Amino acid sequence: MPYRRLPAWVLSFHGTDEDTVTKILTAPQKCLTESRNQYDWLGNGVYFWENDPIRARTYIEEKFERDRAKGKNQEKTPAVIGAVIDLGLCLNLYDQSALMELRAAYDITKRLFDARGMVMPTNKGGEDRLLRYLDRTVIQVTHALRMRAPEKTPPYDTVRSGFHEGGKIYEEAGFHAKNHIQIAVRNPACIKGFFLPRGLESP
């Protein structure tokens, strides 16, 4: 498809801990670790919040608070690192052709599960569907189908989508308190550099 490559570099932000931020900024060869959780919203990749350091900060603070309640990450201090990202060949889920490709991957996934007598994964986690087992599966199948296609179909560098999350910001609103755009970077070469965001506490 001629419009899948997005000729744009975006500033995006990742919530992590102070030690990780320091290591990445002082050792340019290092990079953030790819997430491979079965519930990841956009499949495997390094996750960023597009143009939103505040959301990255609140996310990691909330995560560490949950972790500490479970006795984990007691010594870690939340922090945010910024990145310059070349979206490259992007599975942009604001784009109709990308959504059609995703729907086709879902149909194939369902046929495969049905043929094997297996139950399809489902998204869970309340109204926000915080655990995206189904979506992650379909996106991973989308990538696999491209790799196995007889015609030349290069792999996607990034996956990008917006999400409605959190309660409505006012009565009858169509906007939610935690609306955001996320990017999952599959090709580390698309991360052109890291930086400390201004206006936030830094290590």
Side-chain angles (χ1 to χ4, degrees):
M1 299 296 292
Y3 301 107
R4 291 293 181 86
R5 187 168 295 279
L6 296 184
W9 289 18
V10 297
L11 300 182
S12 295
F13 302 88
H14 179 90
T16 183
D17 63 273
E18 287 186 351
D19 288 344
T20 299
V21 169
T22 300
K23 288 175 182 177
I24 290 174
L25 292 177
T26 55
Q29 74 276 14
K30 292 186 179 295
C31 191
L32 294 166
T33 303
E34 179 181 76
S35 180
R36 289 178 168 266
N37 297 311
Q38 295 299 309
Y39 52 78
D40 284 338
W41 291 23
L42 296 176
N44 297 347
V46 183
Y47 275 69
F48 294 89
W49 310 89
E50 183 175 307
N51 290 327
D52 199 345
I54 294 174
R55 184 70 186 93
R57 179 76 186 200
T58 57
Y59 168 80
I60 197 62
E61 288 175 342
E62 291 169 358
K63 180 182 185 302
F64 280 4
E65 185 176 344
R66 293 192 301 271
D67 287 349
R68 288 181 185 121
K70 300 174 184 176
K72 300 190 299 182
N73 291 330
Q74 301 294 326
E75 304 301 321
K76 290 187 176 182
T77 301
V80 174
I81 190 168
V84 181
I85 298 173
D86 175 6
L87 293 173
L89 188 62
C90 181
L91 179 63
N92 180 20
L93 297 177
Y94 281 116
D95 177 81
Q96 288 298 301
S97 61
L99 292 170
M100 292 167 61
E101 184 177 0
L102 197 68
R103 175 56 202 238
Y106 168 81
D107 292 339
I108 292 171
T109 303
K110 190 173 188 310
R111 288 200 297 270
L112 290 172
F113 272 78
D114 289 347
R116 297 174 182 177
M118 298 170 63
V119 178
M120 284 277 282
T122 57
N123 294 332
K124 300 178 180 179
E127 186 177 348
D128 290 334
R129 298 183 296 281
L130 297 176
L131 305 173
R132 302 289 182 101
Y133 298 104
L134 174 62
D135 293 345
R136 190 257 186 193
T137 298
V138 175
I139 287 173
Q140 290 300 114
V141 169
T142 301
H143 295 309
L145 290 172
R146 289 181 68 83
M147 295 299 292
R148 297 174 184 175
E151 66 275 12
K152 186 176 182 180
T153 52
Y156 286 115
D157 297 310
T158 58
V159 184
R160 177 178 182 266
S161 186
F163 296 95
H164 289 179
E165 186 186 357
K168 295 180 179 180
I169 60 173
Y170 51 82
E171 188 176 355
E172 300 301 322
F175 310 104
H176 296 247
K178 294 183 178 180
N179 282 0
H180 61 274
I181 298 173
Q182 269 189 328
I183 297 169
V185 176
R186 295 175 54 82
N187 178 2
C190 289
I191 303 174
K192 300 305 181 182
F194 292 100
F195 63 92
L196 280 179
R198 299 175 65 181
L200 293 176
E201 295 177 12
S202 58

